[in-house]
Amino acid sequence: MRREVHRVVKVEEVKQEAKDVFTLYFKDNFCSSASPGQFIMVWIPGVDEIPMSLSTINQKGVSSITVRSVGEATRILCETKVGEKIGVRGPFGNGFTLKGSKPVLVGGGTGVPALYPLASKMLISGIKPSFILGARNAEQLLFKDRLQEILDDLIISTDDGSLGFKGYASECLGRLILEKKCDSIYTCGPEQMIVSIFKEAERRNIFVQASLERYVKCAVGLCGSCGIGPFRVCKDGPVFDSISLRAVMNELGFKKMDPSGRLIPVEK
Amino acid sequence: MSQLSLAVELAGLGLRNPTMNAAGVLGMSSYQLKRLYESGAGAVVTKSLGRQPRNGHPNPTIVFVEGGVINSMGLPNPSAEYFRDEIKRLKAENIPVVASFFAASIEDFTYLASILTDAGADALEINCSCPNVGREKCMLEADRESLEKVTKAVREASSLPVFVKLTPNVANIVEGAKIAEENGADGITAVNTLKALAVDIDLRKPILSNIIGGLSGPALKPVALRCVWELFENIEIPIIGCGGVSYWRDAVEFLLCGASAIQIGTALMDHGVELFKEVNEGIRRYLEENGFRGVKDIVGLAHET
Ligand SMILES: Cc1cc2nc3c(=O)[nH]c(=O)nc-3n(C[C@H](O)[C@H](O)[C@H](O)COP(=O)(O)OP(=O)(O)OC[C@H]3O[C@@H](n4cnc5c(N)ncnc54)[C@H](O)[C@@H]3O)c2cc1C
Ligand SMILES: Cc1cc2nc3c(=O)[nH]c(=O)nc-3n(C[C@H](O)[C@H](O)[C@H](O)COP(=O)(O)O)c2cc1C
Ligand code: FES
């Protein structure tokens, strides 16, 4: 069988992360051998099929997705009970490439869980990353305990200052770069955050890998619905490096394709 | 020694080689199409464009099966009007563009043909063969009367070469092709996808939200080859072969059966956009090694007794 084929998996465990965020754990051989940064398509029969990053990869044979409830499909996923079944296919996309010896990972919102497998992989490879964990407020911080458990250098940043650094994760990053002299940045989170981080990094000449989101349908690089510039988020991405990011600056943070292929504004 | 040229003439269009992308595959923007051209395609084909923007069917819209994929995208497209600027961008770089389009009425076919012509497309491809939308959305293939009317209307509305893309979901593909030919089509694209279905045994449900979709990829190839063969025996206008081309050998098979050009869709999933170069290099090697002077020499060659 190929990883593109639909499978149905049983949800083994559900963990509530925040008011509207849940992690669903399941076993799947293809997901167990995924690269950090890859995503899967999750099928909720009769409702939708949507892209989700893997937030755990093969911990004792188990993988997970971490879902924020923002609409119908994610709401139903968040209500999933242990023992219920979901459809999956994938993993898809490129994933992150390990580069640099002093990396910093910057995660915002549901972008944080997607960076967790990357942090684990770095540690296994003998690299000790710094990690900026960002959210709107303390209640919305995801994976705080899990990250604290494995990392020496976890920096918390909340927009409202309810915990840690007060301000945007990108501002926190600016300071950290000066302090730690990091040589590479990995980021996943809201698009405007990624734009700020990329600009900060460009000013300081630091290499970035950022995970982007666009409307995914086929997930195998055929239909073109996930286009950003000449690239496809599902196949050329979802992780894009500085060189590719430079090539899409006229769209990043400004425009995205809607499901019909029209360019519409990106949320500010 | 200079390299053998793969240039072909297709219904008056001069193309640097006989390969194109299949409609609906990486044709959502000028960026995507430009990338295909830069990767070696001889011409590029747009997503099938309609009068209104369409989101298409809800996901799942694609399912992987042995020998290919079944899709029911449901013709998502930003509308022909919106795409005019995309076509202009491609033409500003001299990229040959085939504009694929569909409509629900003769009036809309006429309108779309004229705006796509004005936008600068080099040829039109009428998609009257998509299995993914109901009759009300798209004039369907098997219906002789609409095929006649649509072809005639588009022919009158545009001076460009008009290709009619046919479905394999008919008992006799020649019939439709003849109607198109008699009403002024300059070429036939064969074929669109084969109606198909996939079901999940754990959830006991069809996987595609639309239940039925269209099969493409390697499993479609023998059917497409048979269609091209039958068309070549029965019509005079050129044929563009489409269905399951994944390696250069497949392209040569289509040429031998009577296709003057070929389109590639599903195989880009596994082989990437680099496939255009590989297919073209393969065709070139085949022609050279067998002492042919150009693509034209082998079109329909398998029919000679
Ligand atoms: C590569 C990738 C990885 C992602 N990883 C995660 C993750 O780990 N955790 C998480 O909570 N969310 C993730 N998302 C976002 C998630 O896919 C959307 O929140 C989800 O699809 C919303 O579906 P809905 O039916 O609940 O909401 P809807 O009401 O249908 O839509 C709400 C928003 O989600 C977007 N959306 C809907 N369908 C899709 C689709 N098929 N592809 C992309 N966006 C869509 C819409 O554009 C809209 O802005 C990821 C998206 C991508 C592209
Ligand atoms: C994702 C996808 C989208 C498609 N969209 C269209 C379309 O918009 N118009 C059309 O005429 N054919 C469409 N097709 C059919 C292809 O153009 C082609 O006829 C078919 O896939 C067979 O070729 P292949 O086996 O090389 O993919 C689509 C096929 C796929 C896989
Ligand atoms: S979703 Fe990326 S090309 Fe179809």
Side-chain angles (χ1 to χ4, degrees):
Chain A
M1 194 167 75
R2 295 178 47 156
R3 68 193 160 87
E4 291 90 348
V5 176
H6 279 81
R7 288 93 66 190
V8 168
V9 298
K10 203 165 76 194
V11 174
E12 308 266 339
E13 189 191 334
V14 178
K15 188 167 185 297
Q16 181 159 13
E17 310 284 356
K19 196 166 132 265
D20 54 352
V21 182
F22 292 79
T23 299
L24 313 185
Y25 292 90
F26 56 89
K27 283 186 191 144
D28 177 71
N29 287 338
F30 288 105
C31 292
S32 286
S33 51
S35 303
Q38 284 192 302
F39 70 97
I40 59 172
M41 292 300 284
V42 181
W43 176 38
I44 305 107
V47 181
D48 207 345
E49 185 195 40
I50 55 172
M52 282 287 145
S53 302
L54 289 168
S55 58
T56 312
I57 295 174
N58 194 25
Q59 272 184 7
K60 301 186 186 107
V62 174
S63 301
S64 77
I65 52 171
T66 299
V67 189
R68 179 187 300 280
S69 172
V70 297
E72 195 189 2
T74 48
R75 179 179 52 75
I76 293 171
L77 272 181
C78 285
E79 288 165 2
T80 308
K81 302 275 172 296
V82 171
E84 288 179 355
K85 290 170 177 173
I86 53 172
V88 298
R89 61 185 172 103
F92 297 114
N94 55 359
F96 292 101
T97 316
L98 293 200
K99 265 192 172 170
S101 55
K102 285 183 79 67
V104 52
L105 281 50
V106 191
T110 44
V112 172
L115 292 174
Y116 176 71
L118 176 66
S120 312
K121 185 172 170 185
M122 285 178 167
L123 291 169
I124 291 169
S125 318
I127 301 167
K128 289 197 168 163
S130 301
F131 197 116
I132 299 176
L133 167 58
R136 257 186 223 124
N137 55 51
E139 268 97 73
Q140 289 289 339
L141 287 167
L142 302 179
F143 277 47
K144 186 163 131 283
D145 298 344
R146 256 157 290 181
L147 287 167
Q148 238 151 17
E149 215 170 273
I150 60 169
L151 295 173
D152 296 333
D153 192 19
L154 179 70
I155 301 120
I156 287 165
S157 160
T158 53
D159 297 357
D160 69 353
S162 48
L163 197 68
F165 177 86
K166 178 173 194 268
Y168 291 129
S170 49
E171 298 163 358
C172 185
L173 173 70
R175 299 191 174 190
L176 188 82
I177 293 175
L178 292 177
E179 266 172 42
K180 306 252 162 144
K181 305 215 179 340
C182 42
D183 57 7
S184 54
I185 297 169
Y186 298 78
T187 181
C188 185
E191 188 147 327
Q192 302 306 344
M193 179 193 99
I194 289 176
V195 171
S196 314
I197 286 172
F198 181 54
K199 285 184 177 158
E200 185 76 41
E202 286 289 85
R203 259 199 302 278
R204 299 166 195 270
N205 243 325
I206 300 177
F207 202 69
V208 171
Q209 291 178 47
S211 179
L212 304 183
E213 291 185 9
R214 283 297 180 267
Y215 205 97
V216 175
K217 293 185 181 180
C218 75
V220 291
L222 288 177
C223 73
S225 84
C226 64
I228 177 163
F231 306 122
R232 298 156 295 180
V233 162
C234 74
K235 190 98 170 186
D236 306 305
V239 177
F240 293 91
D241 66 15
S242 296
I243 297 162
S244 304
L245 292 169
R246 275 172 219 142
V248 298
M249 279 316 277
N250 59 335
E251 290 185 30
L252 190 67
F254 295 108
K255 292 182 279 187
K256 61 174 184 182
M257 273 191 187
D258 74 2
S260 80
R262 293 186 161 217
L263 287 174
I264 57 166
V266 169
E267 302 81 8
K268 284 290 160 192
Chain B
M1 200 183 86
S2 73
Q3 249 192 349
L4 184 143
S5 164
L6 291 180
V8 291
E9 199 245 61
L10 182 68
L13 286 184
L15 305 180
R16 62 184 182 180
N17 67 57
T19 65
M20 310 172 205
N21 63 305
V25 173
L26 293 182
M28 278 300 222
S29 71
S30 55
Y31 273 127
Q32 290 172 5
L33 291 166
K34 185 177 168 212
R35 182 173 173 192
L36 297 181
Y37 187 71
E38 286 169 349
S39 304
V44 295
V45 185
T46 69
K47 176 72 199 174
S48 290
L49 301 162
R51 181 97 198 223
Q52 308 292 342
R54 275 173 67 93
N55 288 344
H57 297 309
N59 281 347
T61 43
I62 199 154
V63 44
F64 195 94
V65 294
E66 215 161 309
V69 301
I70 308 175
N71 90 81
S72 62
M73 304 310 300
L75 293 176
N77 79 92
S79 84
E81 221 148 303
Y82 181 95
F83 218 77
R84 277 191 296 197
D85 289 342
E86 302 293 307
I87 294 174
K88 284 180 189 152
R89 257 172 237 142
L90 292 166
K91 289 319 299 174
E93 310 207 27
N94 276 319
I95 297 172
V97 180
V98 178
S100 170
F101 67 112
F102 69 99
S105 68
I106 299 297
E107 195 194 336
D108 283 359
F109 268 110
T110 303
Y111 173 75
L112 295 177
S114 61
I115 69 165
L116 292 167
T117 304
D118 290 344
D122 296 278
L124 302 178
E125 185 178 89
I126 306 175
N127 176 9
C128 43
S129 51
C130 180
N132 287 326
V133 280
R135 261 191 98 74
E136 74 293 353
K137 295 278 163 47
C138 173
M139 297 248 179
L140 280 180
E141 74 273 332
D143 176 350
R144 310 180 51 146
E145 202 189 330
S146 24
L147 196 51
E148 179 185 326
K149 284 191 191 148
V150 168
T151 314
K152 207 179 252 164
V154 172
R155 174 71 292 150
E156 276 164 20
S158 173
S159 52
L160 298 176
V162 172
F163 306 138
V164 174
K165 183 166 178 183
L166 294 177
T167 174
N169 301 309
V170 287
N172 180 3
I173 194 163
V174 172
E175 207 174 77
K178 282 205 153 147
I179 294 170
E181 184 175 42
E182 282 158 17
N183 287 283
D186 302 285
I188 298 290
T189 304
V191 289
N192 211 312
T193 53
L194 258 182
K195 276 196 202 185
L197 179 144
V199 66
D200 181 84
I201 65 160
D202 292 308
L203 299 174
R204 304 185 191 99
K205 287 196 167 61
I207 296 175
L208 296 171
S209 75
N210 191 50
I211 302 174
I212 289 172
L215 175 68
S216 60
L220 179 60
K221 191 186 78 171
V223 176
L225 283 173
R226 183 267 298 168
C227 291
V228 169
W229 179 277
E230 289 179 341
L231 293 174
F232 190 80
E233 299 258 305
N234 289 285
I235 60 171
E236 301 298 320
I237 53 177
I239 303 156
I240 303 169
C242 177
V245 175
S246 312
Y247 299 94
W248 68 267
R249 304 181 68 95
D250 303 327
V252 170
E253 288 170 19
F254 272 95
L255 297 170
L256 291 172
C257 285
S260 296
I262 57 107
Q263 296 180 343
I264 304 177
T266 307
L268 298 180
M269 170 175 74
D270 283 345
H271 302 269
V273 296
E274 297 74 26
L275 183 56
F276 288 105
K277 262 198 192 85
E278 288 164 29
V279 166
N280 282 318
E281 283 314 310
I283 297 174
R284 193 192 321 274
R285 239 181 308 133
Y286 178 83
L287 295 175
E288 282 172 352
E289 283 170 15
N290 291 281
F292 295 108
R293 282 161 307 166
V295 173
K296 206 170 78 202
D297 290 1
I298 64 165
V299 171
L301 202 58
H303 291 260
E304 281 178 18
T305 45

